[in-house]
Amino acid sequence: MVLKDKRQIEKNKHFFQSVGHALEGIKKLILEERNFRFDLIITVVVLCIGLLMRIAIYDWLWLFAAFFSVIGSEVLNSIVENVVDLIVGHHFDLMAKRAKDIAAGGVLLSAVFAMIIGALIFIPKFVELLK
């Protein structure tokens, strides 16, 4: 008896099918990508601090821009790493290293952006608390 292959090879037929694939991708990110989990933990910590400090709505907008900048760049970095690994396998290739390094640099830039946003929002709040 031959088992029928359950992998999808056609285009998604329904919106919910697309959502299912997207949720599966997020699940893989959480389970397999250490840095993605770290980013989520930092996001939760900053959210809690923001709630405790009762920051203004416009500060929340900046924080969410920073959160999604970092998380989005981490997703793109994971995509680059997976595609490069698919192409080169376990062999060293200078162009593969270059692609991975550039993708990682994008994550670093977005993390610096997030740290600047966090500092601009929270340092004045902490200074105010100390007075």
Side-chain angles (χ1 to χ4, degrees), residues 6-124:
K6 298 286 185 187
R7 289 179 269 181
Q8 179 181 344
I9 56 174
E10 295 101 25
K11 188 171 177 69
N12 293 333
K13 294 183 175 139
H14 304 286
F15 171 76
F16 292 109
Q17 192 175 22
S18 298
V19 171
H21 291 303
L23 291 173
E24 185 66 27
I26 292 169
K27 178 181 168 186
K28 292 227 180 280
L29 282 166
I30 292 168
L31 294 175
E32 297 174 8
E33 298 293 333
R34 181 193 71 237
N35 290 340
F36 187 81
R37 289 191 302 272
F38 178 76
D39 295 338
L40 289 180
I41 291 166
I42 294 299
T43 297
V44 170
V45 169
V46 172
L47 284 171
C48 291
I49 293 169
L51 289 170
L52 288 171
M53 301 203 113
R54 300 177 186 216
I55 63 173
I57 188 70
Y58 54 84
D59 291 332
W60 282 113
L61 293 172
W62 280 107
L63 281 180
F64 274 92
F67 295 154
F68 284 100
S69 171
V70 173
I71 289 170
S73 62
E74 193 68 62
V75 169
L76 292 174
N77 182 54
S78 296
I79 292 167
V80 168
E81 288 177 349
N82 280 278
V83 170
V84 166
D85 290 346
L86 177 67
I87 294 168
V88 300
H90 296 291
H91 303 289
F92 178 82
D93 183 281
L94 197 55
M95 290 302 287
K97 179 187 179 329
R98 182 173 187 242
K100 287 183 170 187
D101 288 351
I102 291 170
V107 176
L108 181 61
L109 289 172
S110 67
V112 168
F113 168 72
M115 289 188 305
I116 292 168
I117 295 299
L120 290 171
I121 291 171
F122 290 115
I123 288 175

Side-chain angles (χ1 to χ4, degrees), residues 124-131:
K125 297 283 187 189
F126 285 123
V127 169
E128 189 179 305
L129 276 176
L130 295 174
K131 287 184 179 181

